[in-house]
Amino acid sequence: MQIDILTLFPGMFEGPMTESMMWKARDQGMLDLRMHDIRDYSQTRYRSVDDMPYGGGGGMIMKPDIVVRAVESVLGDAPEGTPVILMTPQGRMFSHEIAVSLARLPRIVILCGHYEGIDERVADLVVTDEISIGDYVLTGGELAAMVIVDAVVRQIPGVLGAEGGAERESHADGLLEAPHYTRPPVFRGLEVPPILLEGNHAAIERWRRVEGLRRTWKRRPDLLLKMKLSEADQYLLAQFADEDAQNAAQHDQS
Ligand code: ADE
């Protein structure tokens, strides 16, 4: 997969995009990540890229001619339908589903905004998608772009390796993951759930499903509303609620 990033600050990507899983994906040829400095497309002596906003107000706006020139040059002979994604707090909210769908594409282009924003005509002319990573404002789109790249790249088949498959992780099936443990079996008096030590894989899978469901119910009940729950799942949820009510009653008595 090829990912092109247009930014005023290519140096920001150097650490995060050259370590760990990202390094492995690039080293093994599964990810071709290319950085493009938008300033290279400025034609002024001081390589300026911004100007004052029409109508007044604070901050500077990235100029449409420069940004459009940069995007069109990077797109070059990109496959038809290659998305050009603008990182902005005004975009649609990023999610696991979006990461999976982007990972299926041969190529994506990500445009990072800075200053107060980008002239709206850039969005009108060359942007095909606008994505936000949360309801807060970052100084620029760079950190958001890195979040997207990380989440997308781990969905590329082969990047995580067989045992660390992306299918079982939190959000992949709409649920949070069950808790994880490693040695020792008892640490500061806290025991690893015995079922995990017994080697019965079917029982372990069932336990993980129950605990994933329990975690989701406790921490992110909003996710359950979006899921199709089986009868067994609904029975478990009723059980969690019962247990909770019993615990609360016991707590009240003591
Ligand atoms: N740029 C600034 N804030 C952002 C956000 N929350 N998501 C994506 N891009 C951004």
Side-chain angles (χ1 to χ4, degrees), residues 75-87:
L75 272 175
D77 56 0
E80 183 75 16
T82 297
V84 176
I85 303 165
L86 174 64
M87 301 315 307

Side-chain angles (χ1 to χ4, degrees), residues 3-75:
I3 303 182
D4 293 276
I5 299 183
L6 291 100
T7 169
L8 290 172
F9 301 99
M12 282 180 74
F13 292 79
E14 269 162 28
M17 297 292 111
T18 52
E19 299 278 349
S20 178
M21 182 259 324
M22 207 61 70
W23 175 82
K24 190 190 138 202
R26 297 178 78 176
D27 187 56
Q28 298 189 354
M30 290 177 278
L31 170 66
D32 180 3
L33 182 68
R34 301 188 189 187
M35 308 304 306
H36 307 273
D37 188 340
I38 296 171
R39 233 173 253 290
D40 291 344
Y41 297 87
S42 168
Q43 292 169 336
T44 65
R45 181 128 78 103
Y46 297 104
R47 301 187 1 119
S48 72
V49 289
D50 55 342
D51 208 335
M52 287 182 311
Y54 276 125
M60 299 291 272
I61 306 296
M62 287 167 71
K63 287 168 67 65
D65 50 338
I66 298 170
V67 180
V68 166
R69 185 157 53 238
V71 171
E72 286 179 342
S73 161
V74 165
L75 272 175

Side-chain angles (χ1 to χ4, degrees), residues 86-90 113 131-142 144:
L86 174 64
M87 301 315 307
T88 163
Q90 301 180 0
I131 294 183
S132 165
I133 63 160
D135 287 335
Y136 40 80
V137 180
L138 303 165
T139 311
E142 283 74 15

